[in-house]
Every structure is written in C-alpha cells, then in structure tokens.
Amino acid sequence: MYPNKHKQIVTSLMDGRFITIDESYFDILKENQNFYVEFFDKSFGFELKNTQEFYYLISDETNENTSRDISIFFSILCYELDKDGKNFMDELGFSDFHIDEIVEYIKNSTWIDVVKANKQLNDGESIKRLVGSTMVKRNIAVKHSDDKYSFTKAYKLFIDFARELIKTEMNEANA
C-alpha cells in the first residue's frame, strides 16, 4: 500500500520539481520520509534530499546543466541586488519581480562575460524562458499576474550551492 498521492509525488520529483513546505505533498513526504528515501533509492538509485522547507531528488548519474545555469542565475541576481543596496535574501524570499526587471539585472550585470557565455542567460528571451518555463516547471519560481514572479523556498538550494562554490574557490586560491 502506497501513501496518499504517491503517483503525484513520484511524478513531481522525477520531473525535477521541488516540493515545498507550502504544498500538501510536503506533509505526506515528511510523514513517509523513510519510505520515500528507500523507494527512490531502490527503484531509481536516486537520493531524496530534504530541508525544513523543501524536498528534491539527486542522482550521481546526471550531468545537470540546468541546475548549474539556475545557480549562475541566482548568483548574478543576488550580486546585482546586493549592489543596488538590497538585502537579496529578503528580496528573493518576500518580493515579486517583473520579468523585465529580472532581465535588466542579468543583461546589465558586471558579470557580462559569464552571462554571454551561458545559453540560458545570454539574451532576454532566454532569461524569460529560464524563469517563466524551466523554473516555474521545477517549482523554483511562481508566475503571478502581469508577468511578475516570486521565488519558492527552493531558491535557497542554489544560493547554498553558490556559497559552497565560493568557499571552495577561496580555499583553493589560498592553498
């Protein structure tokens, strides 16, 4: 016997979606966490990861360029928000952004070489697809009316990844 909403949970996670604390699936996953950890490991060889705010799957077998691109996106956006004197954690956690505002931050970034080298960030239409399609599909962003977006708690994974990358690079530079 499988937990309630099992098929929807498995399909969501297998599609690369994050299941966040504000979704009903989150409570089902939390209540059946041991079952799902074993289920994904034995069935697919995937590791179910969780924080207090979201669940997601990882696999050693994947070469996930989209996750890298999303990490770069958030790194640049956070840098630019910080440069504008804004608390980027508050902005990402509690604000809505018009898609044109996001595009302008990325296109006018001081990290323009990184932007131009990335196919998902190198022009306005690509940025709009990354946010409006890829990130919405994965439950990292939520589309509101008038082309405004907010970010779910899943953004924190990408921020944490960027922090770890910076620490690693700094440690290597100091060694």
Side-chain angles (χ1 to χ4, degrees):
M1 189 73 171
Y2 293 112
N4 191 28
K5 305 288 184 185
H6 176 74
K7 183 177 180 181
Q8 293 90 332
I9 290 169
V10 172
T11 301
S12 290
L13 289 167
M14 293 295 290
D15 284 346
R17 286 189 86 247
F18 288 78
I19 295 180
T20 59
I21 193 167
D22 54 346
E23 295 178 89
S24 62
Y25 299 158
F26 183 89
D27 292 331
I28 297 169
L29 270 165
K30 189 173 182 177
E31 290 169 16
N32 299 283
Q33 184 168 320
N34 291 336
F35 166 80
Y36 279 109
V37 166
E38 187 174 334
F39 173 82
F40 282 110
D41 181 42
K42 287 186 176 180
S43 299
F44 305 104
F46 294 164
E47 185 178 356
L48 178 67
K49 300 290 269 182
N50 73 295
T51 70
Q52 293 179 346
E53 298 174 304
F54 55 88
Y55 282 89
Y56 62 101
L57 290 177
I58 62 170
S59 169
D60 291 336
E61 298 175 14
T62 184
N63 183 5
E64 178 63 82
N65 290 334
T66 301
S67 292
R68 178 206 63 204
D69 294 343
I70 293 170
S71 294
I72 293 169
F73 166 87
F74 278 117
S75 297
I76 291 170
L77 183 59
C78 289
Y79 179 84
E80 296 303 326
L81 288 168
D82 186 61
K83 198 170 84 175
D84 273 357
K86 298 178 180 177
N87 180 320
F88 65 84
M89 292 300 281
D90 286 346
E91 293 291 316
L92 293 177
F94 303 110
S95 297
D96 291 346
F97 295 87
H98 191 279
I99 191 63
D100 293 337
E101 177 185 15
I102 295 170
V103 168
E104 287 304 307
Y105 272 122
I106 302 298
K107 283 176 52 179
N108 296 320
S109 174
T110 54
W111 295 93
I112 196 66
D113 293 341
V114 174
V115 170
K116 290 203 178 289
N118 187 297
K119 291 180 183 177
Q120 294 200 62
L121 299 175
N122 65 9
D123 65 60
E125 290 306 310
S126 297
I127 296 165
K128 288 177 182 181
R129 273 192 307 277
L130 178 66
V131 175
S133 181
T134 303
M135 292 173 75
V136 167
K137 179 183 173 198
R138 291 181 178 223
N139 198 29
I140 301 165
V142 176
K143 186 177 194 295
H144 304 287
S145 61
D146 299 328
D147 286 332
K148 288 193 175 185
Y149 292 85
S150 61
F151 296 103
T152 69
K153 300 297 183 195
Y155 80 85
K156 292 179 180 181
L157 175 70
F158 299 96
I159 301 299
D160 290 345
F161 175 77
R163 280 186 186 137
E164 288 301 314
L165 186 61
I166 290 168
K167 284 181 193 174
T168 301
E169 299 238 343
M170 288 174 70
N171 288 338
E172 287 176 4
N174 291 335

